[in-house]
């Protein structure tokens, strides 16, 4: 907790009335001094503020393992301030800020800068991710220990956006981070197999004449990394798993008892490569260009099942803001990535809850508890029970509404869900007892 | 007719036949000493070429001029585009200048589709990346029909670098729509993954396919492909997939040979095959102008008869 004391200030006591914790029976929740104080029928409780949460689902504050906040370097796309506002609006109380900024977060100085910016923003906790290699160049290890020992206490290391494709470097990174209980989060993409790659290699890419991004380029790296992690007895996390074949490999690695975890993005749970061809927004619309690419309906099915059965541990947004001019282009010229913090929970409701694959306890596990555990964030992902840090999200799953990019807190507008109708709506978010969002609006 | 020509996949059989029949009418005009028609007088056609392609550009230019349209050639080189202007800003500029049609050649697949979002005029795809080249397929179909009298039921083999060929994609879709049976022939490395989902047959064996073919369409193979290990050497490619004299002799007597140009003589096609009377390569060029006239006329000319009062 000491790392996050800056914003505790004058803590109010808040009584949440009638919330359904993990979708269960209505209960009152009293938040006091940054903690969950009491749960039960607390009608007469003394509270500075009372919030009517009738019909709302209470979840532990969401934790994102994979966010691009773009600061420093691309403040035109997002800043720590706007990105954490988007996170709070999406129900998140902690995000992991990816290292591919400019300068790259590959030194203690840069990760501490990002960490401090997060502290100042106060909308959610920002846990910097450190680069695995200097400058993301894949040639020599960054100073992983210095980042681990810094004020930012980095535990997740990733060259995300680029793959640590050199097998020796990957092995050494996996070994080295064991000294401080770190984890390497791999962006699995064999670079030679994906030169110039634009879209999942398959029927759609063949028709559209776009250079294919074959599933095997992801799967080959995941298989190699699982074997390496097993060989050196280290912890591996696989970023944005996108194919049915990757799921099979991870399932196999877990069956061996190896310490492998994996994430899936909301967009890979909902969208397919056919969006590039048949979307109402027109063919070749780069709003759907993302890395790894959108895959097939069969992959989507496998990813949903894997998230449901726990083969894939968690949902991570890969929130990737880009300014308009980087998307209003030819497909090949466009930037890769889509924003996702403010739509993650609605997409997961649509893909996993409405389909009966996960209940709200499952959602809490995959979007809060497990990502917090993988990222070693002790103050997050805890069950809503007396004594736990008061990180709570109140969510109304009963509404359905069209996605409106202009209403988002993110500085960028590159959401692939524009015009789609999605369920659910984050009503309130509490970070250690302090509301960051109330009535759907930033506090 | 639709308002753009972006893909031959968008053309119904009736659309495609209307273009070919209109081209046939216009071809008769081309026989006259004065080839010009007043049909598109006052209309502006912009040739927006982001890739060098003198052949295609002058073909469109000739087509538009024979229909009396004003033609603006906009080449990306040395223009604002080379100074970093986006496709969208270029489109808005052309829009402000009142372009009735934009003929676009671009190295990015789908660039014409993107352009069509930003201009009100008709967009004609003159070749986009490795996607499509619809007017090439239309002129190929037109050339075949002129030589062989029909398309329905013909066996047409398309040979070469299908993976990177916009000509192949457009031809497979169009010729299938027009009732031909298309077979793609290439080494497996030069066929797209999932090609089996296309409305055609696929073979790795040119010699097995040739005797059954009514039309053999050879695609240009770029020599730099062998650096990316698509095939070992030009010699081996030529030996396995080149149309040389021996293979040519195995074609039946009425079969014709086509090539969209530019050719690598000695690579995918030998000089004597290219120059034989059964090669349509030169007339494909002439037919290109006629077919592009038909396309521009149908997109811009509205309901007036193609030949107007000029008869």
């Amino acid at each position: 907790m000491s790392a996050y004391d800056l914003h505790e200030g004058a803590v109010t006591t808040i009584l949440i009335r009638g919330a359904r914790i993990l979708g269960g029976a209505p209960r009152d929740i009293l938040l006091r001094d940054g903690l969950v104080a009491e749960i039960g029928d607390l009608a007469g409780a003394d509270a500075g503020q009372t919030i009517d949460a009738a019909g709302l689902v209470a979840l532990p504050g969401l934790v994102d393992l994979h966010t691009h906040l773009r600061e420093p370097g691309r403040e035109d796309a997002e800043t720590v301030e706007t990105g954490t506002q988007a996170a709070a609006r999406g129900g998140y109380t902690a995000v992991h800020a990816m290292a591919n900024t400019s300068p790259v977060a590959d030194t203690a100085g840069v990760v501490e800068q990002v960490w401090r910016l997060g502290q100042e923003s106060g909308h959610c906790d920002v846990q910097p991710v450190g680069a695995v290699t200097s400058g993301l160049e894949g040639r020599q290890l960054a100073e992983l220990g210095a980042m681990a020992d810094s004020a930012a206490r980095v535990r997740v290391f990733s060259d995300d956006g680029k793959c640590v494709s050199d097998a020796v470097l990957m092995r050494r990174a996996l070994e080295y981070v064991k000294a401080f209980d770190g984890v390497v989060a791999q962006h699995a993409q064999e670079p030679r197999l994906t030169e110039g790659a634009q879209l999942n290699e398959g029927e759609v890419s063949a028709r559209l004449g776009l250079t294919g991004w074959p599933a095997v380029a992801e799967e080959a790296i995941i298989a190699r990394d699982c074997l390496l992690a097993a060989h050196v007895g280290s912890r591996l996390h696989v970023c944005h798993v996108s194919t049915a074949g990757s799921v099979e490999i991870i399932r196999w690695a877990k069956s061996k008892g190896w310490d492998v975890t994996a994430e899936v993005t909301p967009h890979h749970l909902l969208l397919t490569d056919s969006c590039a061809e048949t979307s109402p927004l027109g063919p070749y619309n780069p709003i759907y260009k993302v890395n790894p690419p959108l895959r097939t309906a069969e992959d989507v099915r496998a990813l949903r099942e894997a998230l449901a059965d726990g083969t894939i541990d968690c949902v991570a947004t890969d929130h990737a803001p880009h300014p308009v001019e980087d998307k209003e282009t030819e497909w090949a010229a466009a930037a890769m990535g889509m924003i996702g913090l403010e739509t993650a929970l609605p997409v997961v409701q649509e893909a996993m809850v409405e389909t009966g694959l996960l209940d709200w306890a499952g959602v809490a596990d995959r979007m809060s508890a497990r990502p917090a555990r993988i990222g070693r964030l002790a103050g997050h992902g805890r069950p809503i029970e007396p004594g736990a840090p008061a990180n709570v999200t109140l969510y109304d799953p009963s509404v359905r509404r069209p996605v409106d990019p202009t209403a988002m807190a993110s500085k960028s507008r590159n959401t692939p869900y524009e015009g789609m109708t999605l369920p659910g709506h984050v009503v309130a978010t509490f970070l250690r007892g302090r509301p960051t969002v109330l009535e759907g609006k930033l506090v | 007719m639709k308002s753009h020509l972006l893909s031959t996949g968008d053309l119904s059989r009736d659309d495609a036949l209307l273009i070919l029949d209109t081209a046939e009418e216009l071809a008769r005009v081309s026989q006259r000493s004065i080839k010009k028609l007043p049909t598109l007088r006052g209309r502006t056609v912009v040739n927006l070429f982001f890739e060098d392609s003198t052949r295609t550009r002058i073909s469109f230019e000739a087509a538009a001029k024979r229909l009396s349209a004003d033609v603006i050639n906009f080449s990306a080189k040395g223009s604002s585009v080379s100074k970093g202007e986006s496709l969208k800003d270029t489109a808005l500029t052309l829009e402000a200048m009142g372009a009735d049609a934009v003929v676009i050649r671009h190295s990015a697949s789908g660039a014409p589709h993107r352009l069509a979002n930003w201009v009100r005029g008709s967009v004609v795809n003159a070749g986009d990346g490795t996607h499509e080249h619809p007017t090439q397929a239309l002129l190929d179909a037109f050339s075949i029909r002129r030589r062989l009298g029909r398309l329905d039921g013909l066996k047409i083999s398309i040979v070469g670098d299908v993976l990177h060929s916009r000509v192949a994609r457009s031809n497979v879709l169009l010729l299938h729509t027009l009732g031909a049976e298309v077979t793609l022939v290439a080494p497996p490395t030069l066929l797209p993954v999932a090609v089996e989902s296309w409305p055609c047959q696929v073979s790795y064996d040119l010699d097995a396919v040739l005797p059954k073919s009514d039309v053999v369409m050879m695609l240009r193979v770029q020599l730099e492909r062998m650096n990316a290990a698509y095939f070992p050497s030009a010699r081996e490619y030529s030996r396995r997939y080149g149309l040389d004299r021996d293979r040519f002799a195995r074609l039946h007597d009425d079969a014709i040979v086509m090539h969209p140009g530019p050719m690598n003589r000695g690579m995918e096609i030998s000089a004597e095959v290219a120059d034989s009377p059964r090669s349509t390569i030169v007339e494909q060029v002439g037919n290109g102008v006629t077919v592009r006239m038909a396309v521009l006329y149908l997109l811009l000319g509205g309901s007036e008869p193609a030949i107007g009062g000029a008869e």
Side-chain angles (χ1 to χ4, degrees):
Chain A
M1 284 288 290
S2 62
Y4 303 116
D5 283 346
L6 272 175
H7 284 274
E8 300 313 302
V11 177
T12 53
T13 304
I14 293 177
L15 179 62
I16 299 167
R17 297 291 315 272
R20 297 160 49 214
I21 299 172
L22 306 184
R27 291 272 189 282
D28 302 337
I29 309 168
L30 187 68
L31 312 181
R32 189 169 53 215
D33 296 340
L35 301 176
V36 176
E38 282 182 73
I39 294 173
D41 181 1
L42 308 172
D46 180 30
Q49 191 176 1
T50 300
I51 290 161
D52 177 13
L56 305 185
V57 173
L59 300 169
L62 307 184
V63 175
D64 193 13
L65 268 179
H66 196 142
T67 312
H68 295 276
L69 293 177
R70 300 293 186 226
E71 189 175 3
R74 284 307 299 269
E75 291 83 356
D76 58 327
E78 195 83 284
T79 61
V80 172
E81 175 73 12
T82 58
T84 54
Q85 286 179 343
R89 287 272 301 266
Y92 286 86
T93 52
V95 297
H96 286 73
M98 272 298 171
N100 63 339
T101 47
S102 178
V104 172
D106 59 359
T107 61
V110 179
V111 293
E112 287 193 353
Q113 180 196 357
V114 173
W115 176 76
R116 289 218 168 79
L117 287 167
Q119 293 281 293
E120 287 160 17
S121 89
H123 304 290
C124 75
D125 287 345
V126 174
Q127 175 57 57
V129 173
V132 176
T133 67
S134 290
L136 308 177
E137 285 174 349
R139 285 203 287 271
Q140 69 181 69
L141 290 183
E143 289 184 354
L144 309 177
M147 291 188 273
D149 293 342
S150 74
R153 296 176 47 78
V154 176
R155 290 296 176 270
V156 181
F157 297 90
S158 181
D159 274 3
D160 180 64
K162 290 186 179 171
C163 180
V164 182
S165 62
D166 183 295
V168 172
L169 259 180
M170 186 60 184
R171 174 200 166 141
R172 299 285 182 243
L174 286 166
E175 288 177 304
Y176 195 79
V177 300
K178 285 202 284 183
F180 33 84
D181 193 26
V183 64
V184 177
Q186 174 72 295
H187 171 117
Q189 176 178 6
E190 210 293 315
R192 283 278 285 149
L193 282 170
T194 50
E195 281 172 17
Q198 299 292 327
L199 185 66
N200 175 52
E201 185 166 49
E203 288 186 24
V204 179
S205 68
R207 271 197 298 275
L208 294 183
L210 291 173
T211 306
W213 199 130
V216 63
E218 173 175 309
E219 294 155 6
I221 292 290
I222 293 176
R224 182 203 73 177
D225 287 353
C226 287
L227 294 166
L228 282 174
H231 182 62
V232 300
S234 192
R235 198 151 76 87
L236 169 72
H237 179 72
V238 185
C239 294
H240 41 52
V241 170
S242 72
T243 79
S246 299
V247 166
E248 284 306 302
I249 294 163
I250 292 162
R251 191 171 280 139
W252 168 76
K254 287 192 163 185
S255 75
K256 298 279 205 181
W258 300 344
D259 200 353
V260 174
T261 57
E263 70 191 31
V264 62
T265 70
H267 46 272
H268 286 111
L269 290 172
L270 195 65
L271 306 175
T272 65
D273 58 353
S274 65
C275 290
E277 189 175 29
T278 56
S279 150
L281 302 175
Y284 294 97
N285 192 320
I287 202 78
Y288 302 111
K289 183 174 173 179
V290 63
N291 197 22
L294 300 176
R295 302 287 187 183
T296 67
E298 196 183 321
D299 294 306
V300 168
R301 201 177 315 119
L303 292 168
R304 289 179 179 188
E305 283 167 11
L307 184 64
D309 71 20
T311 302
I312 292 177
D313 299 81
C314 62
V315 175
T317 65
D318 197 4
H319 177 83
H322 291 290
V324 173
E325 63 270 22
D326 288 353
K327 285 289 189 181
E328 271 195 339
T329 66
E330 308 85 306
W331 180 283
M336 291 184 281
M338 32 186 72
I339 57 173
L341 284 168
E342 292 169 80
T343 45
L345 198 44
V347 170
V348 169
Q349 184 187 344
E350 177 85 349
M352 302 299 296
V353 180
E354 307 285 301
T355 53
L357 289 165
L358 280 183
D359 56 16
W360 291 110
V363 171
D365 182 62
R366 308 300 196 272
M367 297 185 78
S368 179
R370 288 221 225 181
R373 206 178 309 145
I374 293 165
R376 300 294 193 250
L377 292 184
H380 290 273
R382 304 263 297 274
I384 300 174
E385 57 190 27
N391 297 320
V392 178
T393 296
L394 298 179
Y395 183 70
D396 179 2
S398 69
V399 296
R400 283 192 80 88
R401 48 189 208 180
V403 176
D404 177 6
T406 63
M408 290 185 178
S410 172
K411 208 168 194 180
S412 291
R413 297 284 171 264
N414 54 307
T415 170
Y417 310 112
E418 177 175 2
M420 284 178 67
T421 298
L422 288 175
H425 165 51
V426 171
V427 176
T429 309
F430 301 90
L431 176 63
R432 284 182 293 281
R434 184 172 54 79
T436 55
V437 172
L438 282 178
E439 294 175 354
K441 297 184 182 69
L442 289 162
V443 175
Chain B
M1 195 68 186
K2 308 197 163 45
S3 56
H4 306 295
L5 178 60
L6 303 176
S7 160
T8 55
D10 298 336
L11 296 174
S12 68
R13 187 182 165 87
D14 285 348
D15 290 334
L17 287 173
L18 176 63
I19 295 170
L20 299 187
D21 293 344
T22 304
E24 203 63 62
E25 258 185 286
L26 291 164
R28 271 184 270 122
V29 181
S30 314
Q31 307 302 315
R32 302 185 202 153
S33 56
I34 295 170
K35 298 182 170 65
K36 201 151 171 153
L37 294 168
T39 319
L40 297 185
R41 187 178 292 150
R43 302 301 196 94
T44 301
V45 175
V46 175
N47 286 325
L48 179 59
F49 275 57
F50 292 88
E51 271 188 341
D52 288 331
S53 174
T54 309
R55 305 161 58 95
T56 305
R57 185 183 56 73
I58 61 177
S59 182
F60 270 106
E61 185 171 354
K65 284 182 169 167
R66 281 187 197 168
L67 294 170
S68 302
D70 295 322
V71 178
I72 298 171
N73 287 315
F74 187 116
S75 158
K77 274 201 182 137
S79 73
S80 48
V81 172
S82 59
K83 296 171 191 151
E85 185 176 75
S86 71
L87 178 64
K88 182 178 178 180
D89 285 326
T90 303
L92 297 179
T93 302
L94 300 178
E95 180 69 13
M97 288 177 180
D100 296 294
V102 181
V103 176
I104 177 174
R105 162 68 68 101
H106 201 292
S107 60
S109 300
H113 296 76
R114 300 293 289 154
L115 184 72
N117 294 325
W118 300 316
V119 297
R120 274 194 299 272
S122 294
V123 175
V124 179
N125 181 358
D128 63 326
T130 53
H131 177 230
E132 285 211 37
H133 193 354
T135 58
Q136 177 70 44
L138 285 162
L139 77 88
D140 290 339
F142 183 77
S143 302
I144 295 167
R145 199 174 72 163
R146 285 207 126 188
R147 276 286 186 116
L148 302 179
R150 67 193 170 99
L151 288 155
D152 225 359
L154 285 184
K155 291 183 170 26
I156 301 176
S157 303
I158 302 176
V159 185
D161 184 359
V162 174
L163 178 63
H164 300 97
S165 176
R166 47 197 174 207
V167 176
R169 279 176 181 74
S170 284
N171 263 308
V172 166
L173 296 171
L174 179 70
L175 295 172
H176 170 74
T177 298
L178 290 170
E181 294 171 33
V182 179
T183 302
L184 296 173
V185 185
T189 47
L190 291 177
L191 289 164
V193 163
V195 69
E196 62 278 1
S197 63
W198 292 9
C200 61
Q201 304 292 308
V202 174
S203 171
Y204 307 139
D205 185 353
L206 180 57
D207 290 309
V209 168
L210 280 180
K212 294 177 276 187
S213 302
D214 300 306
V215 177
V216 182
M217 188 183 295
M218 304 306 294
L219 300 173
R220 176 179 172 79
V221 175
Q222 292 179 349
L223 284 172
E224 64 262 26
R225 301 288 178 222
M226 67 190 174
N227 299 329
Y230 287 106
F231 51 87
S233 67
R235 191 170 52 191
E236 173 154 329
Y237 181 87
S238 184
R239 197 182 300 133
R240 292 177 66 85
Y241 294 99
L243 190 58
D244 58 12
R245 181 170 45 183
D246 291 346
R247 288 208 169 97
F248 185 60
R250 266 175 260 147
L251 288 172
H252 68 70
D253 292 345
D254 300 325
I256 59 170
V257 175
M258 310 182 76
H259 194 299
M263 288 180 278
N264 294 306
R265 288 176 183 246
M267 173 80 172
E268 71 266 5
I269 192 166
S270 72
E272 45 199 325
V273 174
D275 296 334
S276 91
R278 282 156 61 195
S279 152
T280 65
I281 294 166
V282 176
E283 65 201 67
Q284 281 172 268
V285 176
N287 290 340
V289 177
T290 312
V291 164
R292 288 170 180 128
M293 286 171 75
V295 167
L296 290 173
Y297 164 73
L298 290 168
L299 288 175
L300 296 181
S303 53
E304 303 153 42
I307 313 298
E311 198 63 58

